[in-house]
Amino acid sequence: MGDTGSGTTVAELVRRRWGDHRVGLIHEDLVLSHHQVASGAAARAALLTELLPRGAEPHLGVLLDNTAEFPLWIGAAALTGAAVAGINPTRRGAELARDILHTDCRVLVTERAHLPLLDGLELPGVRVLVTDQDAFAGLLAPYEGAVPADIDPGAGPPPGAPRPGGGV
């Protein structure tokens, strides 16, 4: 990937990959370009911006396995300036609820496999998104096509970004 320079943020790394159509993520049968990863992060960032309460600390809980959704949400949090709290799936019951509430997570992103962990927990003020359910796809759909701040979608790849087919 080359030298990213000191002080480079995750949000800057996401923005730099806009327009880069080389393979950026492979998970099982899914292959996404860097641009698709940046675009997916931007869509989730736009959704997250709408879901986080105004004036509240922007905290996002992530209770996901190592899936394609994980880096997309990390990028989304970076683009919105939200803090990410990794929620430990080995915790149970009251301890798990305490972890989520103590970190002030307003949105918790998870998947069906982890729903049994959340059964019966009191999580007031926490919006739970389940990424592998149809309802999530419907919730995300209006935000597809979102563009990270500081990106002109008509300008093509940023200077120095690899172009499709190689080269810069």
Side-chain angles (χ1 to χ4, degrees):
M1 187 156 120
D3 181 21
T4 59
S6 63
T8 300
T9 67
V10 172
E12 290 168 338
L13 292 172
V14 171
R15 287 184 190 102
R16 285 183 190 168
R17 293 299 173 227
W18 193 266
D20 181 346
H21 296 281
R22 296 176 302 159
V23 172
L25 180 98
I26 299 173
H27 180 263
E28 296 175 354
D29 294 334
L30 178 67
V31 178
L32 299 176
S33 70
H34 287 291
H35 178 83
Q36 290 170 310
V37 172
S39 178
R44 284 157 182 78
L47 171 61
L48 184 58
T49 298
E50 291 297 318
L51 294 179
L52 288 170
R54 305 285 182 248
E57 291 295 323
H59 294 172
L60 170 68
V62 177
L63 177 59
L64 293 169
D65 289 332
N66 188 13
T67 67
E69 283 293 332
F70 194 90
L72 297 176
W73 280 102
I74 298 299
L79 290 172
T80 61
V84 174
I87 305 302
N88 187 338
T90 65
R91 306 276 279 178
R92 299 290 187 271
E95 291 80 20
L96 180 61
R98 183 196 172 282
D99 290 351
I100 295 166
L101 296 173
H102 181 73
T103 53
D104 292 325
C105 294
R106 305 301 181 155
V107 176
L108 174 64
V109 178
T110 193
E111 56 199 297
R112 278 185 254 191
H114 294 304
L115 285 179
L117 298 176
L118 303 176
D119 281 346
L121 296 185
E122 296 284 330
L123 299 172
V126 178
R127 175 78 182 261
V128 177
L129 303 179
V130 183
T131 62
D132 54 354
Q133 288 185 337
D134 291 340
F136 173 73
L139 189 63
L140 186 61
Y143 302 96
E144 296 296 337
V147 177
D150 304 326
I151 297 284
D152 176 2
R163 306 222 182 259
V168 284

